[in-house]
Each structure stands twice: as C-alpha cells, then as structure tokens.
Amino acid sequence: MKRAPSVRAQPLIAVRDVRASSRWYQELLGIQNLGEHEHRDFYDRLLSDGELVLQLHAWDDEDHPNLTGADAGPHGHGVVLWFEVDDFDAAVERARALRAELVLEPHVNPAPRHREMWLRDPDGYFVVLASPDGEAG
C-alpha cells in the first residue's frame, strides 16, 4: 500500500500590525515567535513546541498576491482559524484577559464532543479555540 505524503497546514494571514498581532496570538495560544529578525515588522512565524502554527504578514508589503488592499473586503470571510488546545480552560481565561471580542461563549459541540469558543482577533478574523475531540464526553 502506497503511503500518503505528509502534509502540515501553515496558514498565513495578512494583518495591519505584525508585532501587535504576534503578541496577541502568543498570549492567546501560549506559543512563541521566532524572536527578533530583520523582517519582524512585516512577517512573523508563530510556533508551538517548535512546529509552525501560524504566519503573519503585513498588508501591502512586498506585493504578494492577495496580501494587498486591506480594505478591499472583510478579513477572512469564509475562513476560520481553528486551534485545538490542550489547555482549553486556561486558553479561555487568556482570551478573556485579552478582552477579545467573543462571538460564541464556551460550549460543547456535540458532533466531535469537544468544547469550543469563537472569537475575533484584532484584525477581525474569526478564531476558534477547541479542546481535543472527545474531551467533553
């Protein structure tokens, strides 16, 4: 049987202030960035246990396709940044401490039997924090 190739999602979102968004996601998720580097004002990579989980890029910098025109449409329409977290209760507290805009309070999603909370990041992207599947019984 042929083995399927290994695939890892590495989402990239365009943001107005890379440094501020990086701090926000680091606090929310309890993760870290690469530290200081020469591109830090327009690009950052966020890591969990050494694995890339999110990339941030400044709007209208470097002429990348689809990373221009910050006001051309709603940010992330049809996209949800979904993060499974092992420390769901602590992540909820971190979201509250950040005064994140809550869209849906913590609740149980019956299909995957996990808890989730929906919020918006500072740029208006939808973000979901979810406990591992089956965690809620």
Side-chain angles (χ1 to χ4, degrees), residues 6 10 34 42 49 64 74 90 107 119:
S6 178
Q10 297 182 338
L34 293 175
F42 61 88
D49 294 328
H64 288 306
H107 62 281
L119 51 137

Side-chain angles (χ1 to χ4, degrees), residues 2 11 26 28 30 40 48 52-53 60 74 76 83 91 94 96 98 101 104 108 111 113 119 128 130 132:
K2 186 176 178 181
Q26 287 178 68
L28 177 70
R40 183 81 169 76
S48 175
L52 179 63
V53 295
D60 298 311
F83 297 98
R94 291 191 301 265
R96 293 188 194 288
L98 284 168
E101 177 188 341
L104 287 173
V108 173
R113 297 182 331 274
L119 51 137
V128 174

Side-chain angles (χ1 to χ4, degrees), residues 73-87:
H75 295 183
H77 181 73
V79 173
V80 177
L81 298 169
W82 195 286
F83 297 98
E84 180 181 296
V85 295
D86 293 335
D87 63 345

Side-chain angles (χ1 to χ4, degrees), residues 25-32 47-48 87 94:
Y25 277 101
Q26 287 178 68
E27 180 64 29
L28 177 70
L29 299 171
I31 58 178
Q32 61 280 332
L47 309 168
S48 175
D87 63 345
R94 291 191 301 265

Side-chain angles (χ1 to χ4, degrees), residues 46-64:
L46 301 175
L47 309 168
S48 175
D49 294 328
E51 295 289 324
L52 179 63
V53 295
L54 184 63
Q55 301 175 82
L56 305 171
H57 199 288
W59 281 108
D60 298 311
D61 204 320
E62 299 185 313
D63 289 328
H64 288 306

